[in-house]
Amino acid sequence: DDIAKEVHALVHAAFVPRVLVVTTPEAEAICLKNNKRFVDLLRPYSLVRKRTPIRTVNDPGYFISDFQLKFMSTADLHTGIISQEKQDFLSNLVSDNLAPPNERYGNIRCTPDKEDFLRDKLAMKDCNNLRETTPWYYFYRSAFIQLMGISEHEFFNHPVACILVVAPENLSLDDCTSAFDKLYSPSKPLPIFQEGYMESSLFTLHTILDDGSYDRKSLEHKFHKVKSVFGTNTCSVLKVNSNTQKSEDGSYLSPEDHNRLEDFVSFVTLKCVIPHLEKSVRILNDQVVATRKGLKNQVKFWLGKPAGVGYFTKQRTDTNDPEASEMKIYTLNSIGSQMRRLADYAFMLRDYELALGNYRTCQQDFRSDKAWKYYAGALELAGLSGIMLDPSKKDNESDLDKAA
């Protein structure tokens, strides 16, 4: 029905892989001629509609379509706490998008009979009617998802890949690698990657932005050297600003440039991110299975305490409750973190059965360790995985209720 379709569309749009984009000032200057950053040039093409085969841990595989990425800049690498400025933005979004008074019911002061009225209205399966009566909700929901930052208890907002972008003048004939290394290097990760719960060894692509102003032979020679260091499959030259004069919309981008941007995003999605996630799922699954079923660990699991759990405690700044002033954070290589990452990657690849099994397993460990944020998060995603598999099952609602 309409609501089921909308839930699936929302999940497919919200729980998507993140790709970090890092550029040199010279590369960004090329893009700013169009009054846009490089990351903004990619975003209109982030949805790839092509039907794509997926293989995680089971044969045969399956097909998905309408797969989306979210491109993020280093400024988007922030924790999940929403600032007061963003809270005010969300509040204004609601007040600016209220329905006309005669069509509202969301702000009715409730009495028993009006509660029944609201319950009936909210149970309606006519999504168009809901959009008319509570239009603010859809704006709020979209903006809230976009504003969500990185959290230690899940991997959905963590980047899984990185695109490094330079201009030709950033590369010398003697040194075609240091410009990329200065932008991002796992050996010198950004501060947020040093917290201990994020993967810093990202799948990395190396891109030279070409606006046609650089000598062709020199550019080809530099590109050849870049490929010889980083590999052919992770390197590209992207041509932009083919128009010599601004168009009516103030852009130097030609139709061919737009096609190249779309092809570039399609390449990143289909040839880089999806294969990387598939490989990561298989590796993580093997690691989790080996750890949980290893003979020397069996006794520890029977006693209800998983082997190899590694976590540290951190002071919380988002609560005044002294009993909740500390929270446990699992390190990246702990079994709890590996299971959660496996489940999240499987969820992003729409293997909801694999995701559900791992959410169910890791929530037991989190509960045993009294890692309540992790436990609630695993319950939430278990319920959502169940809904994507079979919305009629009562376990789904139970999981979501417990998470709340």
Side-chain angles (χ1 to χ4, degrees), residues 71-332:
F71 295 101
M72 59 196 307
S73 67
T74 52
D76 300 316
L77 289 173
H78 58 80
T79 55
I81 300 173
I82 298 180
S83 66
Q84 185 61 49
E85 180 183 2
K86 292 177 180 178
Q87 290 181 37
D88 293 341
F89 169 76
L90 292 172
S91 297
N92 292 334
L93 201 61
V94 173
S95 59
D96 291 343
N97 291 282
L98 291 174
N102 62 325
E103 295 181 9
R104 295 183 199 166
Y105 58 81
N107 60 348
I108 295 174
R109 185 175 179 182
C110 285
T111 61
D113 60 320
K114 288 179 180 176
E115 287 179 1
D116 293 336
F117 166 77
L118 290 175
R119 192 179 299 108
D120 292 342
K121 285 290 185 183
L122 292 171
M124 287 187 309
K125 299 187 182 298
D126 184 357
C127 290
N128 290 329
N129 189 285
L130 288 174
R131 286 184 182 276
E132 292 171 3
T133 51
T134 56
W136 60 268
Y137 169 72
Y138 297 91
F139 290 101
Y140 182 97
R141 184 181 69 186
S142 177
F144 184 83
I145 291 172
Q146 293 297 319
L147 292 174
M148 287 179 64
I150 290 169
S151 179
E152 65 285 332
H153 78 291
E154 63 181 16
F155 288 86
F156 289 112
N157 289 327
H158 299 203
V160 300
C162 181
I163 303 175
L164 305 180
V165 188
V166 303
E169 57 263 38
N170 295 130
L171 307 174
S172 68
L173 293 175
D174 296 328
D175 182 4
C176 288
T177 62
S178 62
F180 291 108
D181 292 336
K182 289 177 182 177
L183 290 178
Y184 183 84
S185 173
S187 61
K188 297 180 180 179
L190 299 170
I192 196 168
F193 288 96
Q194 299 176 30
E195 293 289 330
Y197 57 83
M198 290 180 63
E199 176 61 78
S200 60
S201 298
L202 306 177
F203 183 94
T204 305
L205 295 103
H206 308 82
T207 301
I208 305 173
L209 205 58
D210 173 27
D211 66 352
S213 64
Y214 205 76
D215 178 71
R216 294 294 91 192
K217 287 187 178 180
S218 179
L219 176 58
E220 290 174 4
H221 182 58
K222 290 180 177 180
F223 182 49
H224 177 75
K225 295 194 73 171
V226 169
K227 289 191 293 183
S228 69
V229 175
F230 297 112
T232 302
N233 296 331
T234 65
C235 301
S236 62
V237 174
L238 181 59
K239 185 171 176 56
V240 295
N241 294 0
S242 295
N243 286 339
T244 56
Q245 293 182 336
K246 279 188 177 183
S247 60
E248 292 182 0
D249 63 355
S251 172
Y252 287 98
L253 297 172
S254 68
E256 291 76 19
D257 291 333
H258 284 287
N259 289 338
R260 282 189 281 267
L261 286 165
E262 185 175 15
D263 290 343
F264 178 74
V265 173
S266 181
F267 166 75
V268 172
T269 304
L270 302 178
K271 300 298 182 181
C272 301
V273 172
I274 288 179
H276 172 65
L277 286 176
E278 289 175 316
K279 181 179 179 181
S280 297
V281 164
R282 291 192 289 270
I283 292 173
L284 285 166
N285 185 69
D286 289 345
Q287 291 174 341
V288 168
V289 169
T291 301
R292 296 196 70 90
K293 292 187 177 180
L295 289 176
K296 70 176 184 178
N297 294 320
Q298 282 294 340
V299 173
K300 294 179 181 179
F301 278 111
W302 289 335
L303 295 174
K305 182 64 177 176
V309 161
Y311 54 74
F312 57 94
T313 59
K314 183 179 180 180
Q315 292 293 321
R316 294 180 58 179
T317 59
D318 58 344
T319 180
N320 294 320
D321 183 356
E323 294 185 2
S325 61
E326 288 187 346
M327 68 172 295
K328 293 181 173 70
I329 298 178
Y330 288 81
T331 57
L332 183 67

